[in-house]
Amino acid sequence: MDARSRTSMTPAAEGKHSQPHPHAEEAAKPSDVSLPLPLHVANVFVFTLFFSVVYYLLSRWREKIRTSTPLHLISPAEMTAVVALLASFIYLVGFFGVDFVHSLLLRPATDVWAEDKEEEEAESIILAEDTRKVPCGQALDCVADMGLVNSNPSISFEKVKPVVPVAEFIKEKVIEAVKELELGGEDEEIIKSVVSGAVPSYSLESKLGDCRRAVAIRREALQRITGKSLSGLPIEGFNYDSILGQCCELPVGYVQIPVGVVGPLLLDGREYTIPMATTEGCLVASTNRGCKAITMSGGASSALMKDGMTRAPVVRFGSAMRAAELKHLLENPDNFENLAAVFNKSSRFGRLQSIKCAIAGKNLYIRFTCSTGDAMGMNMVSKGVQNVLDYLQKDFPDMDVLGISGNFCSDKKPAAVNWIEGRGKSVVCEAVIKGDVVRKVLKTSVQSLAELNMLKNLTGSAMAGALGGFNAHASNIVSAVYIATGQDPAQNIESSHCITMMEPINDGKDLHVSVTMPSIEVGTVGGGTQLASQSACLNLLGVKGANKESPGDNARRLARIVAGSVLAGELSVMSALAAGHLVNSHMKYNRAGKDASKASS
């Protein structure tokens, strides 16, 4: 109040004694002696900065605790946040704390308040008589509020640019501050280079040497290029170094998929708790019910019939006779040993098992099958195939290799060759479900299940011309387990080949149920299995990494677990269909809160 009174009164007082200086009016502008921001705006800004920094630091430290990162390792962004926190705290304590203490300890007397009131009245009189030709302050629209009279009609206060709303101003400042904390000035220049195309987005990791920083820059550049926000896609809490050069290129974040568990499932005398990553409501609950029914009935048993990954290149000759000549050479048992030695030289675990050929005119398709240890094995078998092709090129120089894969493998596609010959692990799994369990847990009868399975999974699938799809929903369980354990989700196609059989036994009292799956393609090393989340799910199953004592045993056991999980899922969903509960169950577990409450009532 004192400062404003002196500033306003100075010109008036000088006017009584002397002529004003030509530039006195400009020197008396309040904008020259005031703060860059109005006081209330500055307070709101500091408040927002303080709480934003507190939230940022707490989230970062919580993430460090979760990932076991030492708290004393502070990034430049975190150091900037700490400095901002201290600065804003000192400002708030100095502004509010000191005045509050003074107001308690040094209460002014009644006559002081009276003097302040008189000064305010005097100031209002001076403002009413003020005849300045420019608006007050920094073009603030305070004409009506301050009671100014426009004595010069040539000047219109309506043309004065209005002040930016405080909320928008603070929001912009906070967004700018957060971006500066996260990216920094140097990163901003890189972002502009990516947006302009001067720096390729795919080269950020190699140029910066920091995967996390590269992801943040690529993400921001993408948002600016597309004009679309990625705020719902998380970026923190993921080790981007672990996917560099092997799992994903050009990352901008990661997708969160919830993981549920089913079990215990008693399989081959051991109990398993099985992780399933899915966004389909009712799937985990249904499979869990199937696990309960199997375990209560004494468990399930499984057998591994085959274990071999395949790759089938396509080669072309000048004539069909020449292609037939190579076919006879490859399928001759006398040549297998030499070919196996050439194939096996590129891997400790890849061992050639068989070679089968198919001719289409002068084109020859060669299907190699080999064991791959605990790896799923696609890369391993491809290396061996390349060795053999290079070896054959010496005796067949006219052989033209068109592709390392000719779709006779067959990978990531439904194919009769996989359904008949198998690919990966071929597994059969069975269980005998007691009649009491069928009635009390599955809420149906043995006869109803057997009849529905024949009409739906067998006859219905045949009517549809199904290829390996003689089941209710095997792919549901396969996909969920694959995603949770780091398998290739696209290989769910052939891995879900399954025929489900159900029939009454023991004079119709009990139910025999089985699933036969000829091409389960899984591994416990390589690919996505090395990522922290997927590795944890494999560890839950007891099949993490390679089995050093018996190479390949972990992958084979995982294939049995997949088959056992499918058996539980098939048993439960068929029971829901037989009892007429499927729709009600999905309405209860696969809908929003309002629908769920209606279904439950």
Side-chain angles (χ1 to χ4, degrees):
M1 183 189 301
D2 295 339
R4 286 184 299 171
S5 299
R6 287 194 296 270
T7 304
S8 302
M9 291 171 64
T10 301
E14 291 179 355
K16 294 180 181 180
H17 303 288
S18 63
Q19 198 71 12
H21 191 275
H23 300 289
E25 183 177 335
E26 295 180 4
K29 287 184 180 180
S31 61
D32 293 340
V33 297
S34 62
L35 293 172
L37 294 176
L39 190 59
H40 67 283
V41 175
N43 290 341
V44 173
F45 176 73
V46 175
F47 260 116
T48 306
L49 178 62
F50 176 79
F51 288 108
S52 299
V53 170
V54 169
Y55 175 79
Y56 172 76
L57 289 174
L58 288 177
S59 62
R60 292 294 302 147
W61 290 337
R62 180 184 63 181
E63 184 62 27
K64 287 184 178 183
I65 293 174
R66 190 180 72 83
T67 58
S68 301
T69 303
L71 296 179
H72 66 275
L73 297 179
I74 301 178
S75 65
E78 293 170 344
M79 179 61 70
T80 305
V82 171
V83 173
L85 176 66
L86 294 176
S88 58
F89 178 76
I90 293 172
Y91 174 89
L92 294 175
V93 170
F95 186 85
F96 293 101
V98 174
D99 289 347
F100 179 72
V101 173
H102 284 185
S103 66
L104 294 178
L105 300 180
L106 304 175
R107 278 190 169 280
T110 307
D111 55 347
V112 176
W113 297 111
E115 291 178 2
D116 289 344
K117 185 175 182 181
E118 292 175 0
E119 290 181 2
E120 290 178 358
E121 293 176 355
E123 181 180 3
S124 64
I125 295 173
I126 292 171
L127 291 175
E129 295 176 355
D130 195 352
T131 58
R132 288 175 296 176
K133 297 181 181 181
V134 295
C136 62
Q138 298 179 358
L140 300 177
D141 54 346
C142 53
V143 179
D145 295 338
M146 299 182 63
L148 291 178
V149 179
N150 184 10
S151 61
N152 191 345
S154 64
I155 298 178
S156 175
F157 290 136
E158 295 179 358
K159 297 181 180 180
V160 177
K161 185 178 180 180
V163 176
V164 178
V166 176
E168 294 183 7
F169 176 81
I170 296 299
K171 182 179 179 181
E172 292 176 1
K173 291 296 182 182
V174 170
I175 292 175
E176 291 177 3
V178 171
K179 287 185 177 180
E180 289 178 1
L181 286 173
E182 290 182 349
L183 300 175
E186 183 182 353
D187 289 356
E188 180 64 27
E189 295 300 322
I190 301 175
I191 291 173
K192 292 179 181 178
S193 299
V194 174
V195 172
S196 66
V199 175
S201 178
Y202 63 81
S203 67
L204 289 174
E205 280 81 1
S206 60
K207 290 182 179 296
L208 299 176
D210 185 342
C211 292
R212 168 62 180 79
R213 183 183 173 197
V215 172
I217 291 174
R218 180 182 297 112
R219 178 191 181 100
E220 180 61 26
L222 177 63
Q223 292 184 121
R224 296 185 188 182
I225 292 172
T226 63
K228 306 295 184 181
S229 173
L230 293 176
S231 58
L233 185 69
I235 186 173
E236 298 292 345
F238 190 86
N239 181 12
Y240 294 97
D241 292 326
S242 64
I243 65 173
L244 180 63
Q246 50 191 346
C247 288
C248 181
E249 300 77 35
L250 301 171
V252 293
Y254 61 97
V255 174
Q256 297 168 309
I257 301 179
V259 177
V261 293
V262 300
L265 172 66
L266 183 59
L267 176 65
D268 297 325
R270 299 181 60 174
E271 288 190 347
Y272 296 95
T273 300
I274 304 161
M276 298 175 63
T278 181
T279 56
E280 180 183 348
C282 204
L283 177 61
V284 173
S286 176
T287 308
N288 190 59
R289 182 176 73 153
C291 291
K292 179 181 179 181
I294 293 172
T295 301
M296 289 179 63
S297 299
S301 301
S302 66
L304 185 78
M305 298 170 289
K306 290 183 181 179
D307 181 10
M309 182 50 62
T310 64
R311 176 61 84 198
V314 54
V315 299
R316 175 186 292 171
F317 290 91
S319 66
M321 298 302 101
R322 189 68 169 153
E325 183 180 347
L326 178 57
K327 180 180 185 297
H328 292 314
L329 183 148
L330 292 174
E331 292 182 343
N332 187 342
D334 296 336
N335 299 325
F336 181 81
E337 186 175 348
N338 291 334
L339 294 173
V342 173
F343 185 99
N344 298 341
K345 68 180 183 180
S346 59
S347 173
R348 292 183 299 155
F349 304 104
R351 294 295 177 264
L352 184 63
Q353 295 176 343
S354 65
I355 302 176
K356 291 188 177 182
C357 301
I359 282 185
K362 56 183 181 179
N363 303 304
L364 181 65
Y365 298 83
I366 314 167
R367 194 171 195 257
F368 295 83
T369 304
C370 80
S371 61
T372 56
D374 283 306
M376 184 271 289
M378 287 298 301
N379 293 332
M380 192 181 301
V381 67
S382 297
K383 291 178 182 178
V385 168
Q386 190 63 54
N387 294 338
V388 174
L389 292 177
D390 294 341
Y391 173 77
L392 293 174
Q393 201 84 54
K394 299 175 183 179
D395 294 328
F396 294 86
D398 54 336
M399 180 180 69
D400 183 14
V401 180
L402 300 179
I404 192 71
S405 174
N407 272 6
F408 189 51
C409 312
S410 172
D411 186 41
K412 301 180 177 69
K413 291 166 285 293
V417 67
N418 292 338
W419 177 241
I420 297 170
E421 298 290 339
R423 188 170 194 255
K425 278 72 173 170
S426 300
V427 181
V428 60
C429 186
E430 67 175 352
V432 175
I433 311 301
K434 298 178 180 179
D436 290 341
V437 174
V438 172
R439 289 188 296 272
K440 295 178 181 179
V441 177
L442 302 177
K443 310 298 182 182
T444 185
S445 65
V446 172
Q447 288 72 23
S448 297
L449 276 173
E451 183 180 17
L452 178 63
N453 184 76
M454 180 192 67
L455 295 176
K456 171 184 168 62
N457 290 340
L458 304 182
T459 308
S461 296
M463 293 290 292
L467 179 60
F470 297 89
N471 58 81
H473 71 150
S475 62
N476 249 339
I477 291 85
V478 173
S479 295
V481 176
Y482 270 29
I483 295 172
T485 58
Q487 311 304 313
D488 188 343
Q491 290 185 324
N492 158 71
I493 296 175
E494 61 267 37
S495 296
S496 295
H497 281 348
C498 172
I499 181 169
T500 301
M501 304 290 292
M502 295 184 184
E503 60 179 291
I505 60 172
N506 299 331
D507 297 328
K509 296 179 181 179
D510 302 325
L511 177 73
H512 180 273
V513 55
S514 67
V515 292
T516 304
M517 306 179 70
S519 52
I520 300 178
E521 299 165 353
V522 293
T524 58
V525 296
T529 64
Q530 64 172 345
L531 301 179
S533 302
Q534 290 82 343
S535 179
C537 291
L538 289 172
N539 188 57
L540 176 64
L541 295 171
V543 294
K544 176 182 176 181
N547 191 310
K548 297 180 179 180
E549 298 179 357
S550 178
D553 189 61
N554 281 356
R556 288 188 285 268
R557 196 193 315 173
L558 178 58
R560 290 190 177 98
I561 293 172
V562 171
S565 304
V566 170
L567 182 69
E570 290 286 281
L571 184 61
S572 183
V573 78
M574 290 296 290
S575 298
L577 285 167
H581 296 163
L582 184 68
V583 175
N584 289 336
S585 297
H586 275 271
M587 289 299 295
K588 182 177 180 180
Y589 293 105
N590 202 20
R591 290 292 183 270
K594 292 184 179 180
D595 292 337
S597 62
K598 291 179 181 179
S600 60
S601 62

